[in-house]
Amino acid sequence: EDQVTQSPEALRLQEGESSSLNCSYTVSGLRGLFWYRQDPGKGPEFLFTLYSAGEEKEKERLKATLTKKESFLHITAPKPEDSATYLCAVPVGTYKYIFGTGTRLKVLA
Amino acid sequence: GAVVSQHPSRVICKSGTSVKIECRSLDFQATTMFWYRQFPKKSLMLMATSNEGSKATYEQGVEKDKFLINHASLTLSTLTVTSAHPEDSSFYICSARKDRGRDTEAFFGQGTRLTVV
């Protein structure tokens, strides 16, 4: 069964304290893995797409990496404005996406 | 990135009434749009796939007659919650996919907070 699991469910960091979020997936024939940021009461905002193991992408303090079984979202020296829920998703079938349950990140000043 | 606009952002309605939510792709054509529902502190649950010019494809357990979807043009899909009840209160989000060669990215609307009283 296709599945996406994210951990931890919630994470509290001090400002400047780097950490990583995990997204594990079980899908047949991965056709991309997507990371999104979601602020409370808002729709998800696209961050990255990764397609193959070993691929990395960076944006400001965020770096996403991909292996054959999981993806990591590394946050370097986070700031309070990085506080949000981070979602990963994989496409299955023709159009459908499966989303993980997300990691709620809180960065304390 | 591409822009998907969803309207309204918040709506309060009385039980038994119907509510329409619009989803527009502002700078690209979307033959397929998606409607999600999200419960507090939970992830997105796909409700249905909206196809331009044809019937929507509903996920298992989603009532077709309660959640009416119309994809009248390449830039507009609507979700109508009919005979709304308090248990329909939720956060509804639409999404549209934009094909860019190998990359196919899904862009999301701002979401609609529906409260049924």
Side-chain angles (χ1 to χ4, degrees):
Chain A
E1 182 185 354
D2 298 323
Q3 199 166 5
V4 177
T5 304
Q6 287 187 251
S7 63
E9 184 175 321
L11 181 63
R12 291 167 70 93
L13 300 173
Q14 290 295 130
E15 184 172 3
E17 180 186 0
S18 302
S19 188
S20 296
L21 314 181
N22 178 267
C23 172
S24 298
Y25 61 90
T26 308
V27 295
S28 53
L30 184 70
R31 292 179 290 114
L33 185 142
F34 302 84
W35 281 99
Y36 291 88
R37 168 188 171 133
Q38 186 176 25
D39 292 300
K42 304 288 185 183
E45 175 189 344
F46 173 79
L47 292 174
F48 303 109
T49 308
L50 301 167
Y51 286 100
S52 55
E55 188 174 359
E56 298 182 353
K57 287 192 177 174
E58 288 188 63
K59 180 180 179 181
E60 296 181 355
R61 295 177 291 281
L62 301 176
K63 183 169 81 172
T65 62
L66 182 66
T67 72
K68 289 186 178 180
K69 294 183 179 181
E70 57 193 348
S71 177
F72 292 94
L73 184 64
H74 306 278
I75 302 178
T76 302
K79 298 182 178 181
E81 52 261 42
D82 294 322
S83 298
T85 296
Y86 291 86
L87 299 165
C88 68
V90 295
V92 294
T94 305
Y95 290 113
K96 186 176 177 178
Y97 278 36
I98 293 180
F99 280 85
T101 49
T103 294
R104 295 192 308 278
L105 174 66
K106 178 73 173 178
V107 182
L108 304 172
Chain B
V3 179
V4 175
S5 177
Q6 191 173 337
H7 177 80
S9 58
R10 291 178 179 272
V11 59
I12 300 173
C13 70
K14 293 183 178 180
S15 287
T17 62
S18 295
V19 174
K20 179 183 285 187
I21 304 170
E22 292 188 348
C23 179
R24 294 180 185 274
S25 57
L26 297 185
D27 57 353
F28 67 102
Q29 293 183 332
T31 55
T32 305
M33 292 185 176
F34 305 87
W35 288 96
Y36 294 85
R37 184 172 180 175
Q38 189 174 32
F39 294 99
K41 296 186 178 180
K42 298 293 183 183
S43 191
L44 284 73
M45 181 189 77
L46 180 65
M47 299 174 63
T49 302
S50 170
N51 304 297
E52 188 269 336
S54 64
K55 292 182 179 180
T57 304
Y58 290 81
E59 294 299 301
Q60 190 172 10
V62 178
E63 298 178 60
K64 300 178 183 181
D65 295 332
K66 166 164 274 300
F67 300 101
L68 299 180
I69 291 173
N70 184 283
H71 197 146
S73 74
L74 288 172
T75 59
L76 173 64
S77 176
T78 60
L79 168 68
T80 301
V81 183
T82 64
S83 186
H85 289 100
E87 56 265 32
D88 298 324
S89 298
S90 191
F91 192 56
Y92 293 87
I93 309 173
C94 72
S95 165
R97 287 168 61 103
K98 183 176 183 179
D99 292 320
R100 302 194 300 182
R102 184 184 76 155
D103 294 344
T104 301
E105 297 170 1
F107 296 91
F108 289 83
Q110 307 94 315
T112 297
R113 171 71 60 193
L114 171 63
T115 303
V116 184
V117 297

